[in-house]
């Protein structure tokens, strides 16, 4: 399955994405922008505005850019006061040196960094920050680790768990992919997070993952049924609401 096919799958589930995907730990977003030279922040690949909402709560000046028309329309419904533009990481509709930080929530891995790296550097002020944020499940918790095994990589992949997100994302700003000569050494950090879920709403959340959105319907149904059956067997998730143990991981680098 190509990256283009996977990355373009979300528009078909824009309303479900907005309803079920988690926000981002405010401490993570604060750490991402705290060393930026100013408060103008671009949420790039903004989706339905999950990260933009967290940034608005921090009091920074947010502009959002999203390529998918359905996701962009949902973002505008969710956050009508945020300036939201059609565009991509490879073609950002902003002037040179117009923002102090570029953040991407669960999106940096979709960018073609050979093109997007120079484009992001173009819109950043000198000393500006590029940061990717990922919400990851805390698989140090037994039932979460077991859920990962039951779900399969289409639902819970290497960027989706505490044990593997660092290794899975560290290379996104590696030398030779358009960023090395423009950004300094990347840093990574994690911040505690969580999301209130029921068994049904956790299944609905996992159903918005790209690997499941593009899966043939019989296989998708079987996967979601298998997850639902697992959750029904666990005391932690069988009845009522529970908190899904999570962290928000951040990868950040400074524009040279």
């Amino acid at each position: 399955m190509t990256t283009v096919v996977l990355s373009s799958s979300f528009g078909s589930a824009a309303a479900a994405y907005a309803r079920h995907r988690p926000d981002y730990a405010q401490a993570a977003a604060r750490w991402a922008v705290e060393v930026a030279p100013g408060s103008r922040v671009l949420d790039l690949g903004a989706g339905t505005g999950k990260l933009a909402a967290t940034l608005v709560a921090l009091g920074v000046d947010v502009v959002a850019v999203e390529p998918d028309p359905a996701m962009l329309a949902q973002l505008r419904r969710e956050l009508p006061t945020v300036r939201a533009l059609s565009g991509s990481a490879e073609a950002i509709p902003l002037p040179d040196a117009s923002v102090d930080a570029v953040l991407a929530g669960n999106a940096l891995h979709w960018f073609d960094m050979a093109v997007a790296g120079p484009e992001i550097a173009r819109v950043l002020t000198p000393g500006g920050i590029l940061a990717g944020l990922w919400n990851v499940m805390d698989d140090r918790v037994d039932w979460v680790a077991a859920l990962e095994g039951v779900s399969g990589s289409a639902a819970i992949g290497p960027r989706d768990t505490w044990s593997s997100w660092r290794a899975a994302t560290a290379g996104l700003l590696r030398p030779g992919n358009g960023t090395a000569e423009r950004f300094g050494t990347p840093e990574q950090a994690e911040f505690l997070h969580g999301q209130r879920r029921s068994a049904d709403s956790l299944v609905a959340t996992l159903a918005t993952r790209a690997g499941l959105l593009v899966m043939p319907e019989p296989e998708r149904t079987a996967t979601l049924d298998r997850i639902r059956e697992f959750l029904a067997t666990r005391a932690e998730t069988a009845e009522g609401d529970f908190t899904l143990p999570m962290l928000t991981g951040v990868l950040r680098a400074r524009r040279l």
Side-chain angles (χ1 to χ4, degrees):
M1 193 69 64
T2 68
T3 298
V4 172
V5 171
L6 290 168
S7 64
S8 62
S9 65
F10 297 111
S12 63
Y17 195 106
R19 180 179 180 186
H20 294 295
R21 283 293 184 105
D23 61 3
Y24 293 83
Q26 196 170 89
R30 184 180 296 111
W31 185 81
V33 301
E34 68 184 3
V35 293
S39 61
R40 298 169 301 170
V41 180
L42 166 60
D43 180 5
L44 187 57
T48 63
K50 293 292 184 177
L51 178 56
T54 302
L55 292 168
V56 167
L58 287 180
V60 300
D61 180 13
V62 183
V63 57
V65 169
E66 166 58 36
D68 186 282
M71 299 289 273
L72 182 61
Q74 189 70 40
L75 187 159
R76 288 169 171 160
R77 286 190 288 270
E78 299 285 330
L79 298 170
T81 63
V82 170
R83 183 184 176 207
L85 306 173
S86 177
S88 69
E90 296 77 19
I92 301 171
L94 293 176
D96 295 357
S98 58
V99 295
D100 302 296
V102 174
L103 271 57
N106 279 78
L108 189 66
H109 53 277
W110 299 124
F111 301 167
D112 176 1
M113 290 305 295
V115 181
E119 183 69 349
I120 291 168
R122 179 186 67 78
V123 302
L124 277 171
T125 55
I129 295 297
L130 167 61
L133 291 82
W134 289 267
N135 279 320
V136 300
M137 296 184 183
D138 192 347
D139 58 354
R140 294 171 295 185
V141 178
D142 287 346
W143 76 262
V144 177
L147 174 64
E148 179 185 4
V150 167
S151 300
S153 60
I156 303 177
R159 290 183 300 270
D160 300 325
T161 60
W162 171 85
S163 64
S164 59
W165 88 269
R166 282 184 173 237
T169 61
L172 293 174
L173 302 182
R174 67 187 183 277
N177 73 350
T179 61
E181 69 275 22
R182 296 173 175 87
F183 293 91
T185 303
E187 306 172 87
Q188 291 175 303
E190 295 133 355
F191 301 84
L192 288 175
H193 198 28
Q195 185 187 23
R196 291 297 289 175
R197 296 281 82 185
S198 65
D200 285 342
S201 63
L202 180 51
V203 170
T205 302
L206 294 174
T208 66
R209 297 291 174 88
L212 285 173
L213 289 173
V214 300
M215 189 178 283
E217 190 56 38
E219 186 180 351
R220 171 183 162 88
T221 298
T223 299
L224 295 175
D225 286 347
R226 186 170 68 246
I227 295 169
R228 190 176 288 106
E229 289 166 6
F230 166 81
L231 295 172
T233 69
R234 297 291 305 209
E236 301 93 337
T237 59
E239 295 183 9
D241 292 344
F242 54 87
T243 297
L244 174 65
M246 298 170 59
L247 303 100
T248 299
V250 186
L251 171 72
R252 77 178 183 188
R254 184 185 294 276
R255 184 189 186 284
L256 298 176

